[in-house]
Amino acid sequence: MLQIPQPTDMCIITTYRCPMRCKMCNIWEHPTEKSKEITPEEIKRLPRVKFINLTGGEPFIREDLDKIAEVCFTKSPRVVISTSGWFEDRVIALAKQFPEIGIRISIEGLSCKNDELRGRPGGFDKGLRTLLTLKDMGLRDIGFGCTVSNNNSADMLSLYQLSKSLGLEFATAAFHNSYYFHKDDNVITNKEEVCGNFEKLVNMQLKENRPKSWFRAFFNMGLINYIEGNRRMLPCEAGLVNFFVEPYGDVYPCNGLEKRYWKESMGNIRETPSFQEIWEGEQAQKIREMVRKCPKNCWMVGTASPVMKKYLKHPLKWALKNKIRSLQGQPACLDKCRYDVGQDPDQAI
C-alpha cells in the first residue's frame, strides 16, 4: 500500500464573512451563513501539524474564535491568524488569552493607498494601532502582510521599512485569481515596475542579519518569477504537504483553484469525520494527480513555504550565495531557475 506522508501545514478558512471591501478580493460579496460555518468541535477532527494558519474572510468576525484557537493549539505549536485588524478590541483580547499566537495584519500600503485598496476608511490606522499595541504587550510573532497589485508596490517598500524599524515581521504576496477570491481579472499589467520594486525588496532583505529574511528574499524572487509568467521554481505539492479546510468542511489542496481549470475537494470532514480516511482515500489521490499536472503557476506562501522547507538545500544555497554578494556590495543574482526535484514536467505549462 502506498504510504502517504502526513501534512505539515494546514490552513483553516474560518468564514467568508468580511467587513472589508477589497478591490483584489470579492469574498465579501459571497459570505457564509454563520450557522453553517465549521465549528471548534469539527476542527478537533483535523490532524496534528507543524503550522496552522487561521484566515477568512475576517477570522475575528467569528465570536468563537477563542475556542477555535484553543483547539488549534492542541494541534500545532504555531498558530497564526491573518486579519484586517478591523476588530481591534477582539484582536487584543485574543492576544491576552493566547500570548503565543501569531498575528499578521493585512495592510496594502500607506494610509491613503491601503484604505483605497481595502475599501474602508481608517483601516490603516486600525491595523497599525493594533500592531503597536500587540508589540507593547510583548507578542513576538506579529507583523504586516502586504498583497501587491498594480499600483502599490512602491508603498510595499515603505511598509517594509516601517516594519523593520518597528521590529515586526513582513510577509508579501502578489494578487492571484481563484474561487476563493471570486476574481478572474487579477493581472499585474505594469510588470516592470512591480518586479523592479520586488527586486529592491529582495536586496534590502539580503542586507539584514536574520537568515529568515534571506529566505523571504528567495520567496520574493519567486513572486517576480510568477509575475513574469514563468513556471514555479519549486513544485506545487498542495494536498500532500499542506491542505485547506473551508468554512463548510471541504478539504482542498489549496485556495488557488479556479473552476475554469479545475476545482475538486479531497473530501468533507462533516461527511467523513475521520481525516485520515480522507487523506488516504482514492479521491485525495486523484486530487494529488491533478495537482501534479495543474496548469497554474501560483506562488503563494501557503503552497510555496512548505516546499521551500522540504527542498531546503535549494533556497539555502541561493540565500548563502546572495548574502555573500550582498556583503560584497553586489546585487542579488535573480536566476529564478526551475529546480528539478522530480516534479511532473506537465505542471504549470
Side-chain angles (χ1 to χ4, degrees):
M1 181 178 176
L2 183 65
Q3 285 291 105
I4 307 298
Q6 291 301 295
T8 60
D9 296 45
M10 72 173 162
C11 179
I12 302 171
I13 306 169
T14 57
T15 180
Y16 288 143
R17 293 177 287 150
C18 186
M20 310 310 285
R21 301 293 182 264
C22 298
K23 291 188 175 181
M24 61 283 190
C25 175
N26 289 333
I27 202 171
W28 54 275
E29 292 183 333
H30 305 269
T32 36
E33 293 182 49
K34 178 180 176 181
S35 62
K36 296 181 180 180
E37 291 170 344
I38 190 171
T39 67
E41 281 299 313
E42 290 168 334
I43 291 173
K44 289 181 180 179
R45 301 171 184 173
L46 298 174
R48 287 188 58 83
V49 292
K50 294 180 180 179
F51 173 73
I52 295 176
N53 176 229
L54 295 177
T55 187
E58 171 50 65
F60 283 94
I61 215 166
R62 291 283 301 254
E63 296 170 354
D64 60 349
L65 189 60
D66 58 334
K67 295 181 176 62
I68 292 175
E70 185 177 7
V71 173
C72 286
F73 273 115
T74 69
K75 300 291 182 180
S76 176
R78 185 167 180 240
V79 179
V80 175
I81 303 179
S82 302
T83 173
S84 66
W86 189 257
F87 298 105
E88 296 177 69
D89 293 342
R90 297 185 188 183
V91 178
I92 301 307
L94 190 78
K96 289 179 179 177
Q97 188 175 352
F98 301 98
E100 67 273 39
I101 199 91
I103 301 288
R104 293 293 180 276
I105 293 186
S106 298
I107 295 179
E108 315 309 345
L110 300 180
S111 183
C112 292
K113 182 58 65 178
N114 175 80
D115 293 358
E116 171 197 336
L117 291 176
R118 297 191 69 80
R120 293 293 295 269
F124 178 86
D125 294 350
K126 281 175 173 282
L128 181 58
R129 186 164 53 233
T130 301
L131 281 172
L132 293 174
T133 303
L134 294 172
K135 180 177 171 62
D136 286 343
M137 290 169 58
L139 269 75
R140 296 184 177 183
D141 195 357
I142 57 174
F144 296 99
C146 179
T147 298
V148 173
S149 52
N150 282 319
N151 59 353
N152 68 336
S153 62
D155 275 29
M156 169 191 69
L157 298 176
S158 298
L159 282 178
Y160 164 75
Q161 292 170 314
L162 177 60
S163 68
K164 184 181 175 185
S165 68
L166 294 173
L168 304 175
E169 301 293 336
F170 188 71
T172 50
F175 68 178
H176 290 68
N177 295 312
S178 79
Y179 83 92
Y180 174 74
F181 303 116
H182 298 275
K183 294 286 285 185
D184 59 10
D185 59 351
N186 279 341
V187 178
I188 290 177
T189 54
N190 55 336
K191 295 182 180 181
E192 186 174 346
E193 177 186 355
V194 173
C195 290
N197 283 324
F198 266 116
E199 184 172 352
K200 290 177 183 177
L201 179 61
V202 166
N203 282 294
M204 288 191 285
Q205 289 175 320
L206 287 168
K207 290 179 180 178
E208 293 189 44
N209 294 325
R210 298 193 312 158
K212 186 175 184 178
S213 295
W214 312 341
F215 285 99
R216 282 188 173 145
F218 178 90
F219 174 80
N220 286 320
M221 182 177 68
L223 284 177
I224 296 173
N225 184 64
Y226 159 73
I227 293 166
E228 291 177 343
N230 302 318
R231 299 175 73 180
R232 286 175 60 118
M233 299 186 302
L234 289 170
C236 179
E237 294 189 358
L240 189 66
V241 293
N242 69 281
F243 65 92
F244 282 68
V245 181
E246 60 90 60
Y248 295 130
D250 273 310
V251 178
Y252 286 108
C254 72
N255 67 339
L257 301 176
E258 293 184 70
K259 287 184 178 179
R260 60 176 170 167
Y261 297 115
W262 66 280
K263 177 179 177 283
E264 285 191 43
S265 90
M266 303 170 81
N268 189 295
I269 62 171
R270 288 174 170 167
E271 299 169 2
T272 310
S274 168
F275 178 83
Q276 207 60 32
E277 189 175 330
I278 294 174
W279 192 248
E280 296 177 353
E282 290 184 11
Q283 176 65 10
Q285 280 298 93
K286 174 187 172 183
I287 296 300
R288 292 184 187 109
E289 287 303 311
M290 296 175 79
V291 170
R292 284 185 63 85
K293 297 181 183 295
C294 183
K296 299 189 69 176
N297 69 331
C298 308
W299 189 256
M300 293 187 273
V301 68
T303 53
S305 177
V307 291
M308 284 175 59
K309 294 171 184 173
K310 181 175 178 179
Y311 303 108
L312 182 62
K313 69 176 184 179
H314 298 297
L316 176 61
K317 182 178 179 181
W318 181 91
L320 292 176
K321 178 183 75 172
N322 283 284
K323 178 58 182 177
I324 293 172
R325 288 178 61 87
S326 180
L327 290 171
Q328 294 173 338
Q330 298 177 341
C333 179
L334 302 183
D335 36 21
K336 295 172 288 186
C337 62
R338 186 169 185 263
Y339 300 100
D340 185 3
V341 294
Q343 61 264 55
D344 195 299
D346 290 335
Q347 188 179 77
I349 59 173

